[in-house]
Amino acid sequence: MDAAKLEQLKQFVNKCESDPSILNDPSLSFFRNYIERQKPYVVEESDEEVEPPQEEEEEEDEIIESDIELEGETVEPDNDPPQKMGDSSVEVSDENRDASQEAKAKGMEAIANGNLEEAIEYLTEAILLNPTSAIMYATRATVYIKMKKPNAAIRDADAALQINPDSAKGYKSRGMARSMLGQWEEAAKDLHVASKLDYDEEISCVLKKVEPNAHKIEEHRRKYDKLRKEREDRKSERERQRRRAEAKAAYEKAKKQEQASSSERPGAGGFPGGFPGGGMPGGFPGGGFPGGSMPGGFPGGGMPGGFPGGGMPGGFPGGGMPRGAAPGGGMPGGMDYTKILNDPELMAAFQDPEVMEALQDVMKNPGNLAKHQANPKVAPVITKMMNKFGGAK
């Protein structure tokens, strides 16, 4: 691609970056369409605020748990006042221990005869005489189970296990009482422990009724826990997408504001009236020449005020610039800035601080041109620039 055309393309792209609204020009619709095919987002107006995309909140149906079909009979919880409980921390005498055993024996006899209320009375007496015996509490718990009083049975089983954590009868009684209340999972755990400590057929029989319900409840819980987790994951993902969209919108807005601010600075409006990005392409930051900007640059595309007397003192090719030719009207003949930028001698001269100081002096006051005519560094630069202005190749 031709170097001059490539430079002009760079200038045009810089212009678009500093003022995206230029893409709304109908004559640039072909370029705009190309951009839209390459990038899903194109700035519409330079003063338009970028808002994050609004996503509708996804409506999700409420998770309603289905009923579980369980088998097995349960009983109504017993709400009797708590039974008498002894203090397991007391020291029991041998005499009380023997008396406790006698009361227990009478309680067992009452159980055999089906006198459950009488059995409870004897066993309560035995517990009060020897509250350190786990077996006494566990035995009374079995009677409460027969009386369909599961809460009372659980209280006695807990007392037995507090005294002896390895009481098989304590776990068995509590497991059976919990199954009566429909606490299938807890019942299954207690009965499994009891079976490991002291297996018997009664435990196995109860487990066959308890375990199916416990498995159904476990599967039910796992299913709905999974559904809830998936719902929370979707909600979290939507929240992450929302935050990313807001962050992107904030970035685009800040970038847009920075571009707008840059375009408001002198010389930053792009050509005509300055070069894109606030400076001349090829390393002329700040809207001027290397070593310091020329005050005002070339406002309106020309040199302010022209040169007094209709030309430049000392005689320049073509008689100088005619009075008033430059101001506001751009450079004579539609001057192409690249003619200056592509001239290596001028570019080298612009690096000389003495030359730049002289040019700045002239730009401040064109009448100061005369005092720089005798300078062998400055005069040739001004002459060559005037040749460029006049359209010389």
Side-chain angles (χ1 to χ4, degrees), residues 40-63:
Y41 178 72
V42 177
V43 176
E44 295 291 342
E45 298 291 342
S46 61
D47 58 350
E48 177 187 358
E49 290 194 3
V50 181
E51 296 293 340
Q54 299 296 321
E55 294 185 3
E56 294 184 2
E57 186 68 22
E58 182 178 343
E59 293 288 340
E60 294 196 27
D61 295 334
E62 181 182 357
I63 297 176

Short mmCIF file of all heavy atoms in Angstrom, two decimals, residues 40-63:
data_model
loop_
_atom_site.label_atom_id
_atom_site.label_comp_id
_atom_site.label_asym_id
_atom_site.label_seq_id
_atom_site.Cartn_x
_atom_site.Cartn_y
_atom_site.Cartn_z
N PRO A 40 -19.59 -6.14 17.60
CA PRO A 40 -21.03 -6.03 17.86
C PRO A 40 -21.44 -4.69 18.44
O PRO A 40 -22.62 -4.40 18.51
CB PRO A 40 -21.28 -7.16 18.87
CG PRO A 40 -19.95 -7.36 19.53
CD PRO A 40 -18.94 -7.10 18.47
N TYR A 41 -20.49 -3.88 18.87
CA TYR A 41 -20.89 -2.62 19.52
C TYR A 41 -20.16 -1.45 18.86
O TYR A 41 -18.94 -1.45 18.76
CB TYR A 41 -20.55 -2.65 21.00
CG TYR A 41 -20.89 -1.36 21.70
CD1 TYR A 41 -22.20 -1.01 21.93
CD2 TYR A 41 -19.87 -0.51 22.10
CE1 TYR A 41 -22.52 0.16 22.58
CE2 TYR A 41 -20.18 0.67 22.75
CZ TYR A 41 -21.51 1.00 22.98
OH TYR A 41 -21.80 2.17 23.61
N VAL A 42 -20.91 -0.48 18.35
CA VAL A 42 -20.34 0.72 17.76
C VAL A 42 -20.96 1.92 18.45
O VAL A 42 -22.17 1.96 18.67
CB VAL A 42 -20.63 0.78 16.24
CG1 VAL A 42 -20.11 2.07 15.65
CG2 VAL A 42 -20.01 -0.41 15.55
N VAL A 43 -20.15 2.88 18.84
CA VAL A 43 -20.66 4.07 19.50
C VAL A 43 -21.56 4.82 18.54
O VAL A 43 -21.18 5.13 17.41
CB VAL A 43 -19.50 4.98 19.95
CG1 VAL A 43 -20.04 6.27 20.56
CG2 VAL A 43 -18.64 4.24 20.94
N GLU A 44 -22.79 5.12 18.99
CA GLU A 44 -23.76 5.79 18.13
C GLU A 44 -23.56 7.30 18.15
O GLU A 44 -23.53 7.95 17.13
CB GLU A 44 -25.18 5.45 18.60
CG GLU A 44 -25.53 3.97 18.44
CD GLU A 44 -25.66 3.57 16.99
OE1 GLU A 44 -25.81 4.46 16.14
OE2 GLU A 44 -25.58 2.36 16.70
N GLU A 45 -23.50 7.88 19.33
CA GLU A 45 -23.35 9.31 19.46
C GLU A 45 -22.26 9.61 20.47
O GLU A 45 -22.11 8.91 21.45
CB GLU A 45 -24.66 9.96 19.93
CG GLU A 45 -25.82 9.76 18.96
CD GLU A 45 -25.64 10.55 17.68
OE1 GLU A 45 -24.81 11.47 17.68
OE2 GLU A 45 -26.33 10.25 16.70
N SER A 46 -21.51 10.69 20.22
CA SER A 46 -20.39 10.98 21.10
C SER A 46 -20.83 11.34 22.50
O SER A 46 -20.08 11.20 23.44
CB SER A 46 -19.56 12.12 20.51
OG SER A 46 -20.36 13.29 20.39
N ASP A 47 -22.08 11.85 22.66
CA ASP A 47 -22.54 12.24 23.97
C ASP A 47 -23.48 11.22 24.59
O ASP A 47 -24.13 11.48 25.59
CB ASP A 47 -23.23 13.60 23.92
CG ASP A 47 -24.42 13.59 22.95
OD1 ASP A 47 -24.56 12.59 22.22
OD2 ASP A 47 -25.17 14.58 22.95
N GLU A 48 -23.60 10.06 23.98
CA GLU A 48 -24.50 9.03 24.50
C GLU A 48 -23.84 8.27 25.63
O GLU A 48 -22.68 7.86 25.53
CB GLU A 48 -24.86 8.06 23.36
CG GLU A 48 -25.74 6.91 23.82
CD GLU A 48 -25.92 5.90 22.72
OE1 GLU A 48 -25.40 6.12 21.62
OE2 GLU A 48 -26.56 4.87 22.97
N GLU A 49 -24.53 8.10 26.72
CA GLU A 49 -23.97 7.35 27.84
C GLU A 49 -24.13 5.87 27.60
O GLU A 49 -25.17 5.40 27.14
CB GLU A 49 -24.68 7.74 29.15
CG GLU A 49 -24.35 9.13 29.61
CD GLU A 49 -24.78 9.36 31.04
OE1 GLU A 49 -25.28 8.40 31.66
OE2 GLU A 49 -24.63 10.48 31.52
N VAL A 50 -23.07 5.14 27.92
CA VAL A 50 -23.10 3.69 27.75
C VAL A 50 -23.71 3.07 28.99
O VAL A 50 -23.19 3.24 30.08
CB VAL A 50 -21.67 3.13 27.53
CG1 VAL A 50 -21.71 1.63 27.34
CG2 VAL A 50 -21.04 3.81 26.33
N GLU A 51 -24.81 2.38 28.79
CA GLU A 51 -25.48 1.74 29.92
C GLU A 51 -25.26 0.24 29.84
O GLU A 51 -25.20 -0.33 28.74
CB GLU A 51 -26.99 2.04 29.89
CG GLU A 51 -27.31 3.52 30.06
CD GLU A 51 -26.95 4.03 31.45
OE1 GLU A 51 -26.81 3.19 32.36
OE2 GLU A 51 -26.82 5.24 31.61
N PRO A 52 -25.15 -0.42 30.98
CA PRO A 52 -25.01 -1.88 30.95
C PRO A 52 -26.26 -2.51 30.40
O PRO A 52 -27.36 -1.99 30.58
CB PRO A 52 -24.81 -2.25 32.43
CG PRO A 52 -25.41 -1.11 33.18
CD PRO A 52 -25.19 0.10 32.33
N PRO A 53 -26.12 -3.62 29.68
CA PRO A 53 -27.30 -4.28 29.12
C PRO A 53 -28.24 -4.71 30.24
O PRO A 53 -27.82 -5.23 31.26
CB PRO A 53 -26.71 -5.49 28.39
CG PRO A 53 -25.37 -5.71 29.01
CD PRO A 53 -24.89 -4.35 29.41
N GLN A 54 -29.53 -4.45 30.02
CA GLN A 54 -30.52 -4.80 31.02
C GLN A 54 -31.02 -6.21 30.74
O GLN A 54 -31.58 -6.49 29.68
CB GLN A 54 -31.68 -3.80 30.98
CG GLN A 54 -31.26 -2.38 31.28
CD GLN A 54 -30.73 -2.22 32.69
OE1 GLN A 54 -31.24 -2.82 33.62
NE2 GLN A 54 -29.70 -1.42 32.83
N GLU A 55 -30.79 -7.08 31.68
CA GLU A 55 -31.26 -8.44 31.54
C GLU A 55 -32.50 -8.64 32.41
O GLU A 55 -32.52 -8.25 33.57
CB GLU A 55 -30.17 -9.44 31.97
CG GLU A 55 -28.96 -9.42 31.07
CD GLU A 55 -27.97 -10.50 31.46
OE1 GLU A 55 -28.30 -11.27 32.38
OE2 GLU A 55 -26.91 -10.58 30.85
N GLU A 56 -33.48 -9.25 31.81
CA GLU A 56 -34.68 -9.54 32.58
C GLU A 56 -34.38 -10.65 33.58
O GLU A 56 -33.72 -11.63 33.26
CB GLU A 56 -35.81 -9.97 31.64
CG GLU A 56 -36.28 -8.86 30.71
CD GLU A 56 -37.46 -9.30 29.88
OE1 GLU A 56 -37.91 -10.45 30.07
OE2 GLU A 56 -37.92 -8.50 29.05
N GLU A 57 -34.88 -10.43 34.78
CA GLU A 57 -34.69 -11.43 35.82
C GLU A 57 -35.45 -12.69 35.43
O GLU A 57 -36.64 -12.66 35.13
CB GLU A 57 -35.21 -10.90 37.17
CG GLU A 57 -34.93 -11.82 38.33
CD GLU A 57 -33.44 -11.91 38.67
OE1 GLU A 57 -32.70 -10.98 38.30
OE2 GLU A 57 -33.05 -12.92 39.29
N GLU A 58 -34.74 -13.76 35.39
CA GLU A 58 -35.35 -15.02 34.99
C GLU A 58 -36.29 -15.51 36.09
O GLU A 58 -35.90 -15.65 37.25
CB GLU A 58 -34.27 -16.06 34.72
CG GLU A 58 -34.83 -17.40 34.26
CD GLU A 58 -33.74 -18.40 33.96
OE1 GLU A 58 -32.58 -17.97 33.80
OE2 GLU A 58 -34.04 -19.61 33.90
N GLU A 59 -37.52 -15.75 35.70
CA GLU A 59 -38.49 -16.25 36.65
C GLU A 59 -38.37 -17.76 36.74
O GLU A 59 -38.42 -18.46 35.74
CB GLU A 59 -39.91 -15.86 36.21
CG GLU A 59 -40.18 -14.36 36.26
CD GLU A 59 -40.29 -13.86 37.69
OE1 GLU A 59 -40.55 -14.68 38.58
OE2 GLU A 59 -40.12 -12.65 37.90
N GLU A 60 -38.20 -18.25 37.93
CA GLU A 60 -38.11 -19.69 38.14
C GLU A 60 -39.25 -20.14 39.03
O GLU A 60 -39.60 -19.48 40.00
CB GLU A 60 -36.76 -20.06 38.77
CG GLU A 60 -35.58 -19.81 37.86
CD GLU A 60 -34.35 -20.55 38.35
OE1 GLU A 60 -34.49 -21.58 39.03
OE2 GLU A 60 -33.25 -20.07 38.06
N ASP A 61 -39.81 -21.26 38.67
CA ASP A 61 -40.89 -21.81 39.47
C ASP A 61 -40.36 -22.20 40.85
O ASP A 61 -39.22 -22.63 41.00
CB ASP A 61 -41.50 -23.03 38.78
CG ASP A 61 -42.18 -22.67 37.47
OD1 ASP A 61 -42.60 -21.50 37.36
OD2 ASP A 61 -42.26 -23.53 36.58
N GLU A 62 -41.22 -22.03 41.83
CA GLU A 62 -40.86 -22.42 43.18
C GLU A 62 -40.69 -23.93 43.25
O GLU A 62 -41.46 -24.69 42.64
CB GLU A 62 -41.94 -21.97 44.15
CG GLU A 62 -41.64 -22.30 45.60
CD GLU A 62 -42.77 -21.88 46.53
OE1 GLU A 62 -43.75 -21.29 46.02
OE2 GLU A 62 -42.66 -22.15 47.73
N ILE A 63 -39.68 -24.34 43.96
CA ILE A 63 -39.44 -25.77 44.13
C ILE A 63 -40.39 -26.30 45.21
O ILE A 63 -40.26 -25.95 46.38
CB ILE A 63 -37.98 -26.06 44.51
CG1 ILE A 63 -37.05 -25.61 43.38
CG2 ILE A 63 -37.78 -27.54 44.80
CD1 ILE A 63 -35.58 -25.77 43.69
#
